[in-house]
Structure formats: C-alpha cells, structure tokens
Amino acid sequence: MESAQNDTIPPKEQQDRTLPELAIPLGLAAFLASCGGGGGSGSAPTPSPPTVPGQPTQAEAARMLLHAQYGASYDDIAKVQAQGFSAWLDSQIATPMGQTAWQWLQSKGYDLISKDELFFSDQPCSYMVWYQMMASPDQVRKRFALALSEFFVVSIQGIQLNWPSFAMARYWDILCSNAFGNFRQLLEEVTLCQAMGSFLNTQGNQKADPRTGRVPDENYAREVMQLFSIGLLQLNLDGTPKLGSNGQPLETYTQSDVSNLARVFTGYEINESVGRFTSPRPPNYTVLKLEYTLSPLALNTNRHSPEAKVFLGTTIPENTDGTTSLKIALDTLFNHPNVGPFFGRQMIQRLVTSNPSPAYVSRVASAFNNNGKGVRGDLAAVLRAILLDEEATGSASLSSNSFGKLREPMIRIAQWARTFKVTSAKGTWKMQGSTYSARESIAQNPLTAPSVFNFFRPGYVPPSSPLSAAGATAPEFQLVNESTVASYINYLQNILYQGIWVRAPELVINPMDPTSTDGQDIAPDYSFEFKLVGNTTALVQHLNLLLCAGQLSNDTVNLIVNALSQDQINDAASDSFKRIHVARAIMFVMSSADYLVQR
C-alpha cells in the first residue's frame, strides 16, 4: 500500500462536504455541561458524578469498556452505568456470535476461483481481521479472541496451505466461538485446525520409522506445553514459581515428556475429502476446494504411532488409537495445576495490566479451576474474574505506579476506528500493507506474529529501566525503540486527517499499478467532533473520556488545550479546517504518555 500518498492535505474542494446535524446524547450533554463554555486554557473539568448511588461514573464505565473491548462510546458508557459492570458484561457474553470471519471473506468475493492469486494470497486475512477489530459486532468477544490469538499463536506468515486466508479465518472463528466456552474444547479445536497444523507441523507428522531414522516431529508437542497450557516452570496458584529444596524453580516437563507427547500428534493430515479442482487459467493449478479449511485435521491411523506414550505422569498404553490418545493427552494438559495461573496471568496482561499482582493472578486462576459451579476451564468465568476484579475497576490502581499496560499498537488503531465510527466506503477493508513501513508503521499487524512466541514475551522486562530495577514485566515494551516511536507518530499523522489510503478499494485483489479509485477508503466520521470545535476544552475532554477513560492528567489536558487554542477556530470555520483541528486534537491525545499507558 502506498500510504505516503496521504502526506499532503488535499485541496479544499476535495474535502468540504455538508454534514448532518446530530443530536447530542444525554450522557454527553451532562458531560459537556461540566466543561463550561469557551475554548481557552484552564484546569481540566471533572465529569459530572453519577446520579444513582453506586452507579459507575462515566470515567469508570469507560475504563471498564476499554479493558473489555476496543472502544468506548457514549451509548456504551450509558449502558454500563445503567446496568452496572457485572450485568453489562453478562449481557455481552450472552450475545450470540454473528457472521463468521470465514463467511465474511466469502461474502466479499475472496473465494473466486477465477482469481488464481486468491488460492495462495494472505492479503484477505489482513482485511478480515482488521474488519473484525474495527467494525464487526460483539466487540467483547472479538477483543477476547485477539487476546487468545496472542496465547494460541498462529501466524499467517508461517503457514503453507491452499486458501491460507480462509484457513486463518477458520482459526480466528475457533477463537471467537470458544471465547466464552471451555478451555479444554478450545485447546482441542486449536490443535486440530488446519492453520495450526501447518504452522507447527502437526500436519503430515508421522510415526517413527527405524529404517530411515525418522522420528515424530516434536514442534507442536513442545509448544503446546511451553506456550499453550502449562509453561516451563511449576507454578503456585498465584503464578509465582514453585521452588525445589535447592531454592531453584522446578521445571514443568523434560525432553522425555516432549518426545513421548510428540507420538500423540502423529497421523494427522489435511482433510482432502472435499476434493480438488483445476484452476481455469494457466498454469492450471490443482487446488483443494475451499471447504477443506472448515474441517479439522484428519487422522490417518496407518501413520499414527502405536508405541506407548509416557509424559507428565500419564501413560497411554501401546496400540491405543489416535483419537483416544489425543483425548488423554489434552485431558492431561488441561487438568495440570499450572494451566489456571499460566493462562490467567497472560490474559490479565493482554486485557488489563502488564505486571499483575500475585493476588490478582490467584483470583483469576481460582476462577479457571472452578467457576463456582464445579466447572474447570470456563472462559467466561475467567473473563469475568479479570474484568471485574477490584484491581481492574477500583480507584487504588489508578494511582499505582505498578499498575497498567502499554497499549498495543494494533489496539490503538482499532480503538481509533471504533471511537470515530470508521467505515470502508467499498466494504473491502483492504488494510494490507498499512501497518508495515519503516517510516510510517505501528510495527504490529494482527495474526502476523513473527514467531510462535507472539510479538513479545509475557516475561519481558525492559532493560536499564525502573521496570528492570523492580523486576516488573512489561511485554509490549519489547516493540518499543527509537524507530517505532517515530513511525507510530508518522502513521497517525498519515491516517487521522482523512483515513487510510487503499489501492483499488473496490477490487478483491490489489493491482500492481495505481487505479483511478485509489484513496482513503477506510475513513473516520468526525461530524460529531465538528460540533465541539468552538469549545476546545470540551473537545479535549470528550477525547479524554472516550480514548483515555478520563485518565489524562490536568497538565496534559491543559497542554493540549493551549496548543489547540492556537488555531483560533470557531463554529464558522470550513469543514476542512475543522477536520484539521480535530485530527490535531486526536494526534495530541494518542501521542501522550497518559494515553499510551492504559490503567
């Protein structure tokens, strides 16, 4: 994508448009009333308190929303205030899953067999997942699915399949459909999905052959323990390592456990029962039919290891069939005492805070172990425990220097999209390439982690920093360096004014050459913000609430208000100038430390 096309502001005649008058929501009306009139500097006003005793404030409701989903709106804030945290979250969990990502790709024409590029293209995967994050319904489900995708990592950069985008869409749908289900079911579906099979070599893995020296591939066996279930070290319920008699941490498994478990994951192959077709254009590829991506890996019993499998204190007798072996293996992993704290801590990191306290981890792990009804692995119970915990919702953590997280770059862009109701004019959401550039980049694109270890390690501690001195983990800082700080600012400058530049937005595949329709297809709606340009303080506090849950400091608010006041803008300004002014305001907020560190 040629994002540099947006470096200059288009001529005024290309920008002005008539904007509809919008009614101000009651929640915002009360908020603006507290801001007062005028556009000058001054102390940051405080949003009006709730009118019902015990009701969350607007800032508290927005904070809950930004932990639970991608963005906050006044309508959502009002719902959280009216229902309370728990009831609102229950209503989101109860919301049925709508159109799947796989169905969305198909509906957009990315299954056309007349386009040879689509058989092998990974571009539609990017369009699909950004649409899911930016605009699809059931935000809470989609936000938790993204967190799960950074635990059960599959990267489209590491799979070799026909229809790779559809295979990845199926993987994403597995995360979404199981987000409020059970960890055990999710673990099995992820294990057997085509994308994971290709990514970590379960697909085509065979039993040992003494004649050739072949042994089962150990890749998935190792990663399913190290990364997807129990981790490297034995853990207490609170996530701290268990120590041996020598005072050193105890390892969770041995190389023998890996080698034996690898035998379980033999005999699995692509399910080719749907058949193949020959593409209509030279060189007339023979391609698996699209529907194979919906099927789990198929077991070829002749290639499954008949040997006994001894691992983690469990023995699967020799000649046990593959299906039974898989069940016993996954049950063993699922019931290991490490899973609750190991998984729970990382979900807290992805949603709420990078360095959760042992007590917080313990409460979440306890919810994993027992949802209150004797059920282990209830992911809805885990999500509730994470989001409703006192450390996530209480005021004490707002003033704690050890609480919070650096917002992941891709979350920042999804939040901008949700907050300002971004749409794709042609409906194709062609985000490919928009996040990869040395000059203008967010250094992160969903479902494209550079390795199975995700974009960053959960135990990463920034070196030579106060966090290092405290031994505090801050995974997202592994993405931060001099280049990424600058490229993020450049990326914002590139998109905030008019939106995201897309080549040939109406086509399913990008052409190599520019077309007459190239332009900002993925664009925000700032019409509501236009109504606030005459009151700079109100505009900044509006952004403070929706983007930061009111967490901008008074000093930051005053600094931004004073900077924006230099525009000397008023209601009579042109739409072009209003758009520039609003984009500047958003830039200042989204570049501030108070925004970048979410509490």
Side-chain angles (χ1 to χ4, degrees):
M1 174 178 291
E2 302 294 336
S3 56
Q5 296 283 334
N6 194 26
D7 280 350
T8 58
I9 297 173
K12 181 178 182 299
E13 62 268 21
Q14 296 180 23
Q15 303 165 22
D16 285 342
R17 57 188 175 89
T18 302
L19 299 174
E21 288 296 316
L22 299 179
I24 298 179
L26 293 177
L28 178 57
F31 179 72
L32 294 180
S34 72
C35 295
S41 61
S43 299
T46 303
S48 52
T51 57
V52 178
Q55 182 187 60
T57 66
Q58 285 185 313
E60 289 168 343
R63 185 188 187 197
M64 170 68 173
L65 288 164
L66 295 182
H67 286 158
Q69 56 185 36
Y70 297 105
S73 68
Y74 287 105
D75 286 344
D76 283 343
I77 288 170
K79 289 176 183 177
V80 173
Q81 286 189 289
Q83 298 175 24
F85 294 152
S86 182
W88 176 82
L89 183 56
D90 284 346
S91 71
Q92 301 306 303
I93 291 172
T95 301
M97 182 173 165
Q99 183 188 44
T100 68
W102 197 96
Q103 291 168 339
W104 184 86
L105 283 177
Q106 192 175 43
S107 73
K108 298 300 179 183
Y110 294 117
D111 61 341
L112 297 177
I113 64 172
S114 60
K115 295 283 187 180
D116 290 351
E117 305 99 314
L118 292 173
F119 307 153
F120 313 115
S121 176
D122 61 5
Q123 292 181 6
C125 174
S126 182
Y127 315 154
M128 172 276 295
V129 71
W130 276 112
Y131 164 75
Q132 293 275 305
M133 293 167 60
M134 287 179 157
S136 69
D138 56 329
Q139 275 197 73
V140 174
R141 183 186 297 274
K142 303 298 167 51
R143 178 66 186 89
F144 197 29
L146 186 68
L148 292 170
S149 78
E150 295 186 81
F151 184 83
F152 298 102
V153 176
V154 177
S155 174
I156 196 165
Q157 295 178 338
I159 67 173
Q160 300 294 323
L161 294 168
N162 294 162
W163 304 103
S165 290
F166 279 87
M168 288 298 293
R170 175 56 184 160
Y171 157 74
W172 174 261
D173 288 337
I174 287 171
L175 300 180
C176 290
S177 63
N178 287 284
F180 308 141
N182 194 278
F183 184 93
R184 172 63 179 80
Q185 180 66 26
L186 175 58
L187 179 62
E188 182 167 337
E189 290 193 31
V190 165
T191 297
L192 294 179
C193 84
Q194 303 284 354
M196 180 64 82
S198 177
F199 186 60
L200 290 182
N201 305 344
T202 307
Q203 172 203 315
N205 194 11
Q206 298 184 45
K207 64 184 178 182
D209 185 345
R211 297 171 302 173
T212 63
R214 183 185 67 213
V215 295
D217 188 288
E218 296 180 351
N219 203 5
Y220 189 73
R222 180 176 291 103
E223 307 307 358
V224 75
M225 289 193 289
Q226 178 180 347
L227 302 176
F228 303 162
S229 59
I230 63 178
L232 292 172
L233 303 176
Q234 296 183 38
L235 302 175
N236 296 305
L237 186 66
D238 64 5
T240 57
K242 290 184 177 181
L243 304 179
S245 57
N246 60 356
Q248 297 301 307
L250 298 169
E251 294 184 350
T252 310
Y253 59 86
T254 67
Q255 177 56 42
S256 176
D257 293 317
V258 174
S259 298
N260 274 263
L261 184 59
R263 297 170 183 167
V264 172
F265 304 113
T266 54
Y268 288 97
E269 303 172 345
I270 291 177
N271 188 341
E272 298 193 20
S273 62
V274 299
R276 295 175 176 267
F277 66 92
T278 301
S279 63
R281 300 191 305 180
N284 304 112
Y285 298 107
T286 299
V287 183
L288 275 167
K289 290 183 179 178
L290 176 65
E291 287 74 19
Y292 93 90
T293 58
L294 292 172
S295 303
L297 294 171
L299 178 65
N300 182 337
T301 57
N302 293 326
R303 295 185 172 184
H304 179 74
S305 174
E307 300 168 285
K309 306 155 182 82
V310 182
F311 59 96
L312 300 177
T314 294
T315 299
I316 301 176
E318 63 178 337
N319 295 321
T320 300
D321 67 88
T323 301
T324 302
S325 293
L326 182 68
K327 180 181 184 306
I328 294 172
L330 297 185
D331 284 347
T332 299
L333 294 174
F334 172 62
N335 288 297
H336 193 285
N338 262 30
V339 182
F342 182 73
F343 172 73
R345 187 178 192 278
Q346 291 190 53
M347 292 301 100
I348 296 171
Q349 287 182 307
R350 298 283 61 75
L351 298 172
V352 178
T353 183
S354 292
N355 194 53
S357 69
Y360 191 178
V361 174
S362 180
R363 291 188 290 270
V364 171
S366 294
F368 180 95
N369 293 344
N370 187 336
N371 67 352
K373 300 178 182 179
V375 176
R376 178 178 177 81
D378 181 348
L379 294 177
V382 171
L383 183 63
R384 284 179 52 82
I386 292 170
L387 297 178
L388 301 179
D389 193 88
E390 175 63 22
E391 293 191 38
T393 62
S395 59
S397 55
L398 287 174
S399 58
S400 170
N401 289 331
S402 62
F403 193 89
K405 64 190 294 288
L406 182 70
R407 294 180 199 265
E408 292 180 60
M410 62 185 176
I411 299 297
R412 301 173 209 165
I413 303 307
Q415 183 191 14
W416 166 75
R418 292 281 183 174
T419 303
F420 303 107
K421 302 178 179 63
V422 163
T423 57
S424 169
K426 299 296 184 181
T428 48
W429 296 90
K430 294 172 69 171
M431 286 283 288
Q432 181 71 19
S434 63
T435 54
Y436 293 116
S437 166
R439 179 172 174 268
E440 299 158 346
S441 170
I442 61 171
Q444 192 183 35
N445 205 41
L447 305 185
T448 63
S451 77
V452 72
F453 296 101
N454 195 26
F455 300 99
F456 35 67
R457 301 291 187 97
Y460 179 76
V461 177
S464 304
S465 68
L467 292 169
S468 177
T473 54
E476 298 84 357
F477 274 92
Q478 198 167 0
L479 291 176
V480 178
N481 55 51
E482 292 87 347
S483 296
T484 60
V485 169
S487 63
Y488 166 66
I489 301 299
N490 290 340
Y491 185 73
L492 286 184
Q493 187 173 8
N494 198 32
I495 70 170
L496 292 183
Y497 176 66
Q498 280 192 308
I500 297 169
W501 190 92
V502 171
R503 171 169 286 168
E506 78 283 8
L507 302 180
V508 295
I509 286 291
N510 287 334
M512 296 301 295
D513 299 319
T515 73
S516 61
T517 58
D518 295 354
Q520 279 72 20
D521 175 78
I522 301 174
D525 178 0
Y526 294 146
S527 55
F528 189 84
E529 285 67 36
F530 281 14
K531 300 177 71 68
L532 304 179
V533 296
N535 185 336
T536 305
T537 299
L539 174 62
V540 174
Q541 287 290 21
H542 159 72
L543 299 177
N544 182 15
L545 179 65
L546 296 191
L547 292 174
C548 310
Q551 293 171 22
L552 291 180
S553 68
N554 285 347
D555 287 345
T556 300
V557 169
N558 291 336
L559 186 66
I560 294 174
V561 168
N562 289 334
L564 290 172
S565 295
Q566 304 305 307
D567 281 346
Q568 298 183 5
I569 194 169
N570 57 46
D571 292 336
S574 68
D575 285 354
S576 173
F577 192 20
K578 287 179 179 179
R579 182 170 288 275
I580 292 171
H581 185 73
V582 169
R584 284 174 178 163
I586 299 169
M587 165 73 82
F588 292 154
V589 171
M590 292 185 68
S591 302
S592 70
D594 294 345
Y595 166 78
L596 293 171
V597 176
Q598 177 182 5
R599 297 185 186 276

